[in-house]
Amino acid sequence: MKWEQLFLDHGRVRPSLRFFLAVILIVFVYLAVGIILGMTFHLFHGQPQHLLFWANGLMLVALLASFKVLTRFFEEKPLSSIGLAVCGRWKTELGIGLSLGVAMILAVAGLEWGLGLARFSLNTISAEQVLAAGAYYFLVFAVAAVNEEIIFRGYPFQRLVEAIGPASAVAILSIGFGLVHLQNPSHPWLSTLNTVAIGISLSVAYLRTRALWLPIGLHFAWNFVLGYGMGLPVSGILFSRTLLHASVNGPVWVTGGNYGPEGGGLATGVILAVTIYLLFSPSIYISEEVRGLTLDAANSPPTKLAGGVPSPVASTDSL
């Protein structure tokens, strides 16, 4: 076997190799940002509470730069081709994502309140503190949502879809999404399954639109409303300066306990309902502008998602 056959497919580097290269770059960026911030905060005695903001910000810049190089060198396309194109239905998709994220959290919190498992009250801190915290958390959660989406539904995921098909790619990256959250504190066993499930939802949102705006909107709204709005833990992390204060009692397998709703059974049902909506809603589809930017019709043979649903890799008109 010639080396061309091993590394190249129709004169291009195989998608599987581009996927692994992207993963290596992500690990390198993660380690480099950690080292740089650690040294900087140690030398200048930075405040630990600001570390999350700077870590997410530097990660975003480094990741976008890395993916820009990869898309330019291997695909000969702009960075926007990974799903960040400001064209077509991007505003509508972002709005749908934001609406779904808000609705999901309100549904879970409403169920907890209705079942007598949670009580909510206005936080006692000053209005200035609430507003300042809201602006800060808005930026933190927005940047974090973009970071996670371009990693798990962006360039690496898209190359894996090319290499092994959408169903397998969704399974692998969603499991990875769940495993990464095992490092979060207070995680119950159900939290990993829920995180895998929401990873599937977000992956479907990308595949149905071939853009990251819908999953970014959903991801951001879920975390922002959950943590800042409702005062509930976000993947095991509780924030103090929030709009509401939450007091939760009840079985951990229902509420998620100290991990937050993402670790409870109530969230499982909501996630499944939203996944079904994302799979079959006629209001979610790929725009012609995005189709021309991201899909190459000549290299997009018909494929199917799990359950026999046609994948937008081949056609999105029927979804």
Side-chain angles (χ1 to χ4, degrees), residues 202-226:
L202 295 167
S203 298
V204 169
Y206 167 78
L207 289 172
R208 290 293 311 276
T209 62
R210 283 288 163 164
L212 292 171
W213 300 114
L214 200 164
I216 285 173
L218 192 158
H219 196 146
F220 162 75
W222 171 284
N223 286 342
F224 182 72
V225 177
L226 175 63

Side-chain angles (χ1 to χ4, degrees), residues 101-102 104-113 117-121 123 137 141 221-250 254-264 266-267:
V102 172
M104 291 172 74
I105 290 305
L106 292 181
V108 175
L111 287 171
E112 290 188 355
W113 176 81
L117 302 174
R119 291 181 298 173
F120 300 94
S121 58
N123 209 325
Y137 291 140
F141 286 129
W222 171 284
N223 286 342
F224 182 72
V225 177
L226 175 63
Y228 172 72
M230 307 306 299
L232 291 164
V234 180
S235 300
I237 301 173
L238 184 64
F239 301 90
S240 57
R241 297 186 176 184
T242 57
L243 184 61
L244 297 180
H245 173 74
S247 177
V248 179
N249 297 291
V254 177
T255 66
N258 292 332
Y259 190 83
E262 296 161 306
L266 294 178

Side-chain angles (χ1 to χ4, degrees), residues 29-30 49 77 80-81 90 125 156 158 205 215 241 288 294-295:
V29 165
Y30 180 82
Q49 61 266 31
K77 291 183 178 181
S80 58
S81 65
W90 78 275
I125 61 177
Q158 294 156 22
R241 297 186 176 184
E288 290 303 320
T294 62
L295 296 181

